[in-house]
Amino acid sequence: ELKVEQNPLFLSMQEGKNYTIYCNYSTTSDRLYWYRQDPGKSLESLFVLLSNGAVKQEGRLMASLDTKARLSTLHITAAVHDLSATYFCAVDDFGNEKLTFGTGTRLTIIP
Amino acid sequence: DAGITQSPRHKVTETGTPVTLRCHQTENHRYMYWYRQDPGHGLRLIHYSYGVKDTDKGEVSDGYSVSRSKTEDFLLTLESATSSQTSVYFCAISESWNTGELFFGEGSRLTVL
């Protein structure tokens, strides 16, 4: 059974600081996704990582994938309040046409 | 935004009653999914569909059934609702399994008393 673990589960950080969210998974997969969810809202796709070494950046967020380590990171640079949200990673359950989600990281940016 | 509509958006029901949630898409995507979201569990897959009349179980399928008679509609049915099925239910769609990116509906909040 595929396991997807995120850490930390909760993160409170000051504006302007840098931090990284980690996503570990238990199976061989080269496809990983990051989503954002604002409170009471739906999930929004942030990044699609489809190969080992893939790196994607959008604004202050950068995601990377290391399939050999079974690890993806979501790096936040110079955090701003608007980035406060819950971030989920999800992994392709290889060959089974479905994604398994991590439990999410609730990020709070303090002014 | 992907054209995904979930209904109802909010529902309160009593234990033992049947409930049907509807997901309607206007994107003509092949794949459709039902997830439930609960604190501490992230999103867990209930059932999914890879075409009309083609469905399969996810990790938390007990107590749920689904049907897909048209490309655009994916129904989730709780035959006899229980309090443990109180949750927020999200429908998602995907065009191609090669990319796998999901687009989510706005969610349906179900409370079973």
Side-chain angles (χ1 to χ4, degrees):
Chain A
E1 180 185 347
L2 172 60
K3 299 289 186 184
V4 182
E5 295 184 350
Q6 288 182 237
N7 67 84
L9 299 183
F10 299 93
L11 176 58
S12 181
M13 56 188 292
Q14 288 186 318
E15 281 191 329
K17 300 292 187 182
N18 303 332
Y19 210 81
T20 301
I21 299 171
Y22 298 88
C23 176
N24 293 90
Y25 55 96
S26 63
T27 192
T28 301
S29 177
D30 59 1
R31 298 194 292 195
L32 189 139
Y33 309 81
W34 285 96
Y35 292 86
R36 168 183 170 145
Q37 185 181 36
D38 293 313
K41 302 296 185 181
S42 184
L43 282 82
E44 172 191 1
S45 178
L46 289 176
F47 298 110
V48 178
L49 304 170
L50 298 179
S51 62
N52 184 40
V55 178
K56 294 282 185 71
Q57 183 163 4
E58 179 73 31
R60 301 175 187 272
L61 299 178
M62 183 175 71
S64 64
L65 178 61
D66 181 343
T67 59
K68 294 180 181 178
R70 301 180 183 178
L71 171 69
S72 178
T73 60
L74 180 66
H75 187 72
I76 303 147
T77 301
V80 294
H81 180 68
D82 286 351
L83 292 179
S84 295
T86 299
Y87 293 86
F88 293 93
C89 63
V91 179
D92 171 7
D93 194 351
F94 188 68
N96 291 322
E97 301 175 321
K98 55 189 178 183
L99 297 185
T100 298
F101 282 77
T103 52
T105 297
R106 183 179 295 180
L107 173 65
T108 302
I109 308 298
I110 303 169
Chain B
D1 292 341
I4 310 169
T5 305
Q6 291 185 228
S7 60
R9 294 289 313 281
H10 302 274
K11 186 173 182 64
V12 180
T13 191
E14 293 188 349
T15 298
T17 61
V19 176
T20 295
L21 305 180
R22 179 183 184 231
C23 179
H24 178 78
Q25 61 144 330
T26 57
E27 306 295 323
N28 200 36
H29 285 359
R30 177 182 176 189
Y31 297 91
M32 299 186 76
Y33 305 82
W34 277 108
Y35 285 89
R36 62 177 288 175
Q37 184 175 30
D38 305 287
H41 291 279
L43 278 83
R44 293 180 292 175
L45 182 63
I46 306 171
H47 282 280
Y48 68 104
S49 171
Y50 46 95
V52 173
K53 300 189 186 301
D54 292 323
T55 65
D56 205 350
K57 296 179 179 180
E59 62 179 306
V60 290
S61 60
D62 287 350
Y64 302 95
S65 63
V66 289
S67 65
R68 191 173 180 195
S69 58
K70 299 183 290 185
T71 298
E72 57 266 35
D73 289 326
F74 192 33
L75 303 180
L76 177 70
T77 297
L78 292 66
E79 298 292 346
S80 179
T82 67
S83 58
S84 64
Q85 294 176 312
T86 292
S87 186
V88 179
Y89 293 85
F90 284 98
C91 174
I93 64 174
S94 176
E95 180 179 17
S96 166
W97 188 243
N98 288 333
T99 64
E101 186 179 14
L102 299 182
F103 299 94
F104 285 84
E106 293 301 310
S108 295
R109 181 175 294 275
L110 175 67
T111 302
V112 183
L113 302 176

